[in-house]
Amino acid sequence: YVKDAMEKLVTEYPKVAFGAVDTSVLYVKGLEAEYLPEFQKDVPRFVVFRKVAGSADKSKTDSERLKTSVAVLDSGVAYGPMSNLIASVVQNKATMNKVSTLPTIKTRTKKLEEEERAKRQRRMDQQQRSSSSSSQQQKQGGGYFSSTTDNDGSAEGRRAERERRRAEHRANNPNYREKTPEEIAEIERQRRVRMEEEAKKWNIAPEDAPD
């Protein structure tokens, strides 16, 4: 059925170049672990490549600004879904993932398969941590903050960290209420008084200074 589907697609899209890789014996490095569903015997997978705009740098030529990207068929491989995916890519309607490095075809080995499993596991662990962190922050901050509010040392990161701590404090203290402007002004006045008193302590005159 895949052969019949390909014959129809070649006729339907004469400007599209088609190719096939037998991944039972070959391995597409830079594509399988990163974008494709995990390999299963006798289960075909289908992707569409296209170069899309990848840089706004006008000093580069049009070809240099293009970035190879891929769209993956996430449903069963059949003529209808394959044709629809190609059409969406050709019409710039598909969600494309930019490929960091061009895929290379290698002989399928146990070492490559182990590397792929490790990559998939790391990605799964990362997604779980991100999901867990986002869920925890939503519980603490009423769903306002997300994992993008991590303190990365920047001014925005520090401000986000302060807001996160305030949200945690409010969530953990049911009787919390915002201070009035008058209370804030009084706190600031007392802070200045304490600063002046501390400064006087360090302003010690020499023992032989005149009265």
Side-chain angles (χ1 to χ4, degrees), residues 41 45 187:
K41 188 178 180 180
R45 297 169 292 179
I187 292 173

Side-chain angles (χ1 to χ4, degrees), residues 29-31 34-35 49 67-68 98-104:
K29 190 174 179 63
L31 181 67
E34 291 78 7
Y35 305 103
F49 290 101
K67 183 75 174 178
T68 299
K98 292 179 181 178
V99 179
S100 56
T101 57
L102 291 178
T104 55

Side-chain angles (χ1 to χ4, degrees), residues 2-132:
V2 176
K3 181 180 178 181
D4 292 339
M6 292 297 290
E7 289 177 350
K8 293 180 181 179
L9 293 171
V10 169
T11 303
E12 184 178 3
Y13 299 98
K15 295 183 178 181
V16 176
F18 292 87
V21 177
D22 183 358
T23 52
S24 64
V25 293
L26 299 175
Y27 184 88
V28 187
K29 190 174 179 63
L31 181 67
E32 295 211 30
E34 291 78 7
Y35 305 103
L36 291 182
E38 193 167 2
F39 170 77
Q40 297 181 42
K41 188 178 180 180
D42 298 328
V43 178
R45 297 169 292 179
F46 185 74
V47 301
V48 180
F49 290 101
R50 185 178 184 181
K51 287 190 174 182
V52 299
S55 173
D57 188 352
K58 295 184 178 180
S59 65
K60 297 182 179 181
T61 63
D62 290 341
S63 60
E64 289 175 329
R65 287 201 295 268
L66 297 178
K67 183 75 174 178
T68 299
S69 301
V70 63
V72 181
L73 183 64
D74 54 8
S75 59
V77 172
Y79 167 71
M82 295 164 76
S83 178
N84 291 338
L85 179 62
I86 296 173
S88 64
V89 172
V90 171
Q91 298 169 11
N92 295 320
K93 295 180 180 179
T95 300
M96 307 294 293
N97 294 305
K98 292 179 181 178
V99 179
S100 56
T101 57
L102 291 178
T104 55
I105 298 177
K106 298 181 177 292
T107 301
R108 179 173 288 275
T109 63
K110 289 185 177 180
K111 180 180 179 181
L112 287 172
E113 290 178 339
E114 290 173 358
E115 290 177 357
E116 177 184 343
R117 283 193 290 269
K119 283 185 179 180
R120 290 183 184 276
Q121 187 61 47
R122 286 196 299 270
R123 186 164 63 246
M124 187 181 300
D125 292 342
Q126 184 178 6
Q127 291 172 348
Q128 289 177 346
R129 287 195 300 270
S130 177
S131 176
S132 176

